[in-house]
Amino acid sequence: MKEKLNSIEHEALQLINTANDLDVLNQLRVRFLGKKGEITSVLKGMGQLSPEERPVVGAMANELKNRIETVLEDRKVTLEREAKLQRLQKEEIDLTLPGEPVIYGKAHPLTAVFAELKRIFLGMGFDVAEGPEIETDYYNFEALNIPRWHPARDMQDTFFITDEVLLRTHTSPIQVRTMQKGELPIRIIAFGRVYRVDMDATHIPNFRQIEALVIDKGITFANLKETINVMVKGIFGENRKTRLRPSYFPFTEPSAEVDVSCFVCDGVGCRLCKGSGWLEIGGAGMVHPRVLEMSGIDSEEYSGFAFGMGIERIAMLKTGINDIRLIYENDLRFLNQF
Ligand code: DAH
């Protein structure tokens, strides 16, 4: 039996060390170490041995098992390493070849303007407020000092759902909702979709506005002017000037239209600014004392300013897009230009 083990050892080691691939190695493992393998069959015959010989042969067989196990493992590692080396040699990489082009996504012009505005206002310590797109007449008009009989209702062609419920025509109702919370001072911006019955090259029925509201003790028109200045320079560039032109909104007094010096002609006059040198971007003013009082704020003690602007309008001016509908067509050939 010892001889048998010796000859198994001899044969196994020779075969394993000359095996050239992993499959062959596996077959050898089965042949020598498997349940029906050669060593097992030697162990099965141990019953015929004398009690003295049994442990000796048993130990020998176990030792041989371990030995073959180790040699198999070594050979496996060697074969694997060789296979890897061969593969690496075949897989030569030409580092001078041009790469596959990577297509980067980028922000839609509206998203980009939105992010820019948010950054600017958060930097000035503003919070972001929100409100519903389906509003009541009260928040959209009444509480902003636009009663039912008021001619200013015609400034905004409204989608009514019922007599009392409508699609908000501007983000200004968020001012009212914020004031009604009763926490002062207030320093918020609000972004959102607004709806108007309107459709041409520069108007669509569903567009977006940004609204700002600041209320505290001692807030003046100078604060409004400087806040708009910071925003305009931040979004359109350091060289842009701001102009506030007297205007009318029922919810502000005094009210102003906000103009930016034209960035095509720098104020000289051109086609974009229709010869005026200025581009209108939105409305602003000091919050009307009636609007403060209606939302429970003492207008003797507190004052504030507000402004609202169309985000599409800003994006169009910034990028030179001349038809608002292009912004929403989502044609990549168009969007990739920005
Ligand atoms: N809500 C106005 C509009 O959509 C814009 C506006 C004007 C907002 C003056 C304001 C403001 O906050 O003070 O036409």
Side-chain angles (χ1 to χ4, degrees), residues 156 169-172 175 196 209 211-212 249 251-252 283-285 306-309:
Q156 303 174 355
T169 57
H170 50 183
T171 40
S172 302
Q175 290 189 28
R196 289 187 203 177
Q209 286 188 334
E211 188 89 15
F249 297 102
F251 33 93
T252 43
F307 59 82
M309 293 172 311

Side-chain angles (χ1 to χ4, degrees), residues 136-138 141-142 145-154 160 162-166:
T136 60
D137 189 277
Y138 178 77
F141 291 125
E142 209 75 35
N145 200 28
I146 319 176
R148 263 174 214 276
W149 49 265
H150 202 291
R153 288 217 174 190
D154 294 346
F160 279 96
T162 68
D163 261 6
E164 288 301 323
V165 180
L166 46 79

Side-chain angles (χ1 to χ4, degrees), residues 189-236:
I189 44 162
F191 299 93
R193 288 168 178 275
V194 301
Y195 301 80
R196 289 187 203 177
V197 185
D198 215 348
M199 185 80 173
D200 62 33
T202 54
H203 297 90
I204 46 167
N206 174 205
F207 59 105
R208 288 169 168 81
Q209 286 188 334
I210 171 181
E211 188 89 15
L213 175 69
V214 172
I215 294 175
D216 203 349
K217 291 177 183 163
I219 297 291
T220 70
F221 208 84
N223 298 124
L224 166 61
K225 211 175 153 187
E226 182 55 13
T227 305
I228 289 183
N229 247 332
V230 170
M231 179 198 71
V232 163
K233 286 180 189 298
I235 196 116
F236 290 116

